[in-house]
Amino acid sequence: MTRIHDMGGRFGYGAVLPDPDGTAFEESWHARALALTLAAGALGRWNLDMSRHARERLHPREHARFSYFEKWLAALANLLVETGALEIGDLLHRASDRTAQALSSHALKSEDVSALLGRGSPTTRDRQGWARFSVGDSVRACRLAENRLVPGGHTRLPAYAAGASGRVLCRHGFHVFPDSNAHGLGEAPQPLYAVAFPAAELWVNPEHPHDEVVLDLWESYLEPVQ
């Protein structure tokens, strides 16, 4: 079953149009939502894939009703409670001084934000191993875009590419496997590939059939085309 957050390639949602003014945040609280998310991430209680999965598993009604940054805040609240950083009462009322003091010891200082964002969250891993596919190989994305480790779990294989055939453009080396990392099952690094898919493989009536879409896909998302 297609997950509600997996909206890429769906018909009827219109074009993605960049903001002509280049405004980063439409409202002031959007910036505060981003800052709060970064600060809470510094607690070290979850990883990037866990935070993505927290947004994906919001109730479908919330996905349809919430704006972009409302989804961020709702997922963050869930993570804080699930990991024991806060209790539900702390979210409904002001957190106790004891809780605030415990969290403040891990606080992300404003002067450290630029360096943190500059480093990003690298997912590459220095690992020696055999990569199944080479540049130029014909491959097919798994027919079902599902997590094979956890039912209904996080995956980075988009539904619109499931079952489509393409060719390997390049190999990125070994990267943390999100399907595992999002569920506390370890990083389990896998080879990551840039795969080019013809538009005609992805949609029945593409506007430009000879265009290609390039996706970065982990090895276990792919199978060889004989």
Side-chain angles (χ1 to χ4, degrees), residues 9-223:
R10 292 188 188 180
F11 182 79
Y13 285 92
V16 177
L17 301 175
D19 187 341
D21 299 326
T23 305
F25 304 104
E26 293 184 357
E27 300 183 36
S28 60
W29 72 267
H30 293 174
R32 292 175 62 85
L34 172 60
L36 185 59
T37 300
L38 289 174
L43 297 174
R45 293 177 179 246
W46 56 81
N47 58 51
L48 176 62
D49 296 308
M50 290 176 178
S51 65
R52 284 173 171 154
H53 185 52
R55 294 167 199 149
E56 294 170 359
R57 56 190 171 89
L58 293 174
H59 193 282
R61 286 195 299 269
E62 296 172 343
H63 257 283
R65 182 167 59 92
F66 287 173
S67 66
Y68 180 76
F69 281 108
E70 284 176 327
K71 292 183 177 72
W72 276 44
L73 291 178
L76 177 59
N78 288 340
L79 283 171
L80 287 167
V81 173
E82 290 167 358
T83 60
L86 294 176
E87 296 181 356
I88 292 180
D90 295 322
L91 297 175
L92 298 176
H93 312 285
R94 180 168 180 164
S96 67
D97 291 340
R98 181 179 179 181
T99 298
Q101 184 175 2
L103 295 179
S104 65
S105 63
H106 300 281
L108 176 64
K109 304 297 189 298
S110 59
E111 59 268 22
D112 298 329
V113 171
S114 294
L116 176 70
L117 293 179
R119 291 196 305 270
S121 298
T123 64
T124 57
R125 294 296 180 265
D126 186 12
R127 175 178 172 180
Q128 300 298 319
W130 177 72
R132 185 179 186 186
F133 304 110
S134 300
V135 173
D137 283 355
S138 296
V139 293
R140 180 181 295 108
C142 292
R143 189 176 63 84
L144 299 176
E146 297 288 344
N147 186 311
R148 266 75 174 163
L149 302 174
V150 178
H154 177 65
T155 186
R156 299 300 299 279
L157 173 59
Y160 70 84
S165 296
R167 74 184 191 286
V168 175
L169 288 182
C170 71
R171 299 192 297 196
H172 294 305
F174 282 79
H175 283 246
V176 173
F177 186 44
D179 300 43
S180 173
N181 201 41
H183 300 282
L185 301 178
E187 293 188 341
Q190 290 188 11
L192 181 68
Y193 305 87
V195 182
F197 295 92
E201 274 286 318
L202 303 174
W203 298 286
V204 175
N205 296 304
E207 184 175 2
H208 302 287
H210 298 295
D211 283 357
E212 291 185 324
V213 174
V214 179
L215 300 175
D216 286 337
L217 299 176
W218 278 261
E219 187 165 277
S220 62
Y221 296 169
L222 303 169
E223 57 188 30

